[in-house]
Amino acid sequence: MRQITDTILMVRPVAFRMNEQTVNNYFQKDLTADNVNERAQAEFDEFASKLKKVGVNVIVVDDKQEDDTPDSIFPNNWVSFHENGHIALYPMFAENRRKERRMEYFAKLEENGFKITQLVDYTSAEEHDLFLEGTGSLLLDRQNQKAYCALSPRADEDLLIEFCEDFEFTPVIFNANQSVGGKRKAIYHTNVMMCLAENFAVICLDTIDDSKERKNVLKHLKEDGKEIIAITEAQMHEFAGNMLQVQGAFDKKYLVMSARAHKSLNQDQLSKIEKHCEILSSDLDVIETCGGGSARCMMAEIFLPKA
């Protein structure tokens, strides 16, 4: 099994703004400027261009204005693609995010030569107010068949276990919190506090308040030979946990992050990352501020087999 891919799906936004329904995302802030969507589109286009320049196969699809989906720029929350040809569809916390699940995107993947054999649909859980938001909630170590998950209102434990049974992953379950107004509150997505690459993991251990849970996460990472690169909670708030390793041309590997995340890292952390791969960063300031998500959230990895 491959841990990283050279092909990603990205959704160009048309109605981007702070989503009023994603109330438990404490990273997002409202920018009231009229041109927020245009600025987000400019950041998106520059980011996609940088990925293409290093040889990443970026499949861009356009959102539809009539759906009014402010978070469509973050497709990894509603879908994941797997090497056996299976696609998983996930239940979403915000009602207006459920319209992001668009089957015509899959036709575009088939046009690009990918083979889809089965759709595994968990979306009926929404009727019971249970959610599991794709690779936002699930950090998949595909090589070692483990799924790391910080439980939250958007990551239900029973759904996680169901996913792990269906896709043959071992669950690594924990709680991760951030300080909000003097209280510790659940982090909405695992992928803002942790990034799993082929040979290393970037992780904010300070968010795992329970020492036994922290030790268990570290045990799994170490036994699978991952170098652990710790970040602080302050760096996490600069989106330094929201990164993704991808493969470009000539088998070169890149850790993709925002300019803000890149700037927050110290020299020791940068050196550790650069031992393994190059860093590719892009300015995503409007997307991060309004959307409460960053580079990793914008990329849905394609692992489907070729037809």
Side-chain angles (χ1 to χ4, degrees):
M1 298 287 276
R2 292 174 292 147
Q3 179 59 21
I4 65 172
T5 180
D6 62 359
T7 306
I8 57 171
L9 176 75
M10 294 179 69
V11 180
R12 192 172 190 269
V14 293
F16 181 81
R17 63 180 186 277
M18 176 177 157
N19 188 350
E20 59 283 353
Q21 293 186 17
T22 52
V23 292
N24 48 24
N25 177 349
Y26 306 114
F27 288 79
Q28 61 185 9
K29 298 179 184 68
D30 199 5
L31 285 177
T32 49
D34 293 334
N35 61 344
V36 159
N37 183 66
E38 288 76 13
R39 287 164 68 194
Q41 285 177 331
E43 289 179 353
F44 176 96
D45 292 342
E46 173 70 11
F47 182 38
S49 172
K50 283 184 176 181
L51 288 164
K52 288 174 183 174
K53 272 180 190 163
V54 298
V56 179
N57 178 22
V58 184
I59 299 170
V60 175
V61 292
D62 290 303
D63 190 14
K64 284 183 179 169
Q65 189 78 52
E66 61 267 28
D67 284 342
D68 191 32
T69 43
D71 280 334
S72 62
I73 200 168
F74 304 132
N76 80 309
N77 299 149
W78 63 265
V79 66
S80 63
F81 304 97
H82 301 266
E83 280 190 56
N84 59 0
H86 291 191
I87 294 177
L89 288 180
Y90 296 95
M92 307 290 286
F93 171 82
E95 283 187 32
N96 63 5
R97 293 210 64 189
R98 297 169 194 175
K99 290 184 283 182
E100 294 174 29
R101 297 187 296 247
R102 302 250 300 279
M103 300 307 114
E104 62 259 40
Y105 294 165
F106 303 155
K108 177 110 181 204
L109 295 181
E110 288 177 321
E111 283 167 26
N112 276 269
F114 291 101
K115 184 179 173 187
I116 297 166
T117 57
Q118 191 176 332
L119 212 55
V120 185
D121 190 346
Y122 300 102
T123 60
S124 63
E126 289 166 351
E127 296 163 24
H128 309 285
D129 289 330
L130 299 173
F131 313 106
L132 185 69
E133 295 195 334
T135 54
S137 300
L138 298 163
L139 246 73
L140 300 180
D141 183 341
R142 294 170 188 259
Q143 288 170 312
N144 299 294
Q145 292 290 104
K146 291 179 183 177
Y148 292 80
C149 183
L151 301 179
S152 79
R154 304 205 207 176
D156 178 76
E157 186 168 0
D158 290 339
L159 276 179
L160 161 67
I161 289 165
E162 186 181 345
F163 167 86
C164 287
E165 287 172 353
D166 291 343
F167 283 87
E168 297 180 353
F169 280 81
T170 299
V172 182
I173 302 168
F174 56 98
N175 292 276
N177 299 299
Q178 64 189 114
S179 294
V180 180
K183 293 180 180 169
R184 296 294 274 170
K185 295 195 174 181
I187 291 171
Y188 79 108
H189 278 161
T190 316
N191 77 359
V192 293
M193 54 74 64
M194 184 177 177
C195 156
L196 267 180
E198 269 186 332
N199 301 311
F200 65 96
V202 178
I203 182 168
C204 184
L205 293 165
D206 296 344
T207 61
I208 308 175
D209 295 336
D210 185 288
S211 62
K212 281 185 185 168
E213 291 182 347
R214 195 182 319 123
K215 279 179 188 166
N216 186 50
V217 170
L218 285 168
K219 175 181 82 74
H220 280 281
L221 292 170
K222 284 174 180 171
E223 74 185 17
D224 296 328
K226 307 277 190 204
E227 180 180 2
I228 290 153
I229 302 169
I231 57 170
T232 65
E233 201 168 321
Q235 289 174 316
M236 179 189 75
H237 280 279
E238 299 299 308
F239 294 98
N242 197 244
M243 307 160 163
L244 182 69
Q245 192 181 34
V246 297
Q247 189 161 305
F250 311 111
D251 290 336
K252 277 191 83 169
K253 292 162 188 173
Y254 299 86
L255 188 64
V256 182
M257 65 187 75
S258 72
R260 185 170 155 188
H262 194 175
K263 190 179 171 189
S264 77
L265 297 172
N266 63 39
Q267 194 51 56
D268 181 55
Q269 292 163 327
L270 291 168
S271 298
K272 284 177 178 172
I273 292 167
E274 286 166 343
K275 271 192 325 193
H276 298 283
C277 60
E278 285 188 31
I279 290 171
L280 186 154
S281 63
S282 196
D283 180 17
L284 303 172
D285 202 48
V286 171
I287 293 166
E288 289 173 322
T289 302
C290 276
S294 187
R296 194 277 167 266
C297 304
M298 294 169 67
M299 298 179 281
E301 304 148 277
I302 311 294
F303 286 93
L304 296 168
K306 284 287 191 175

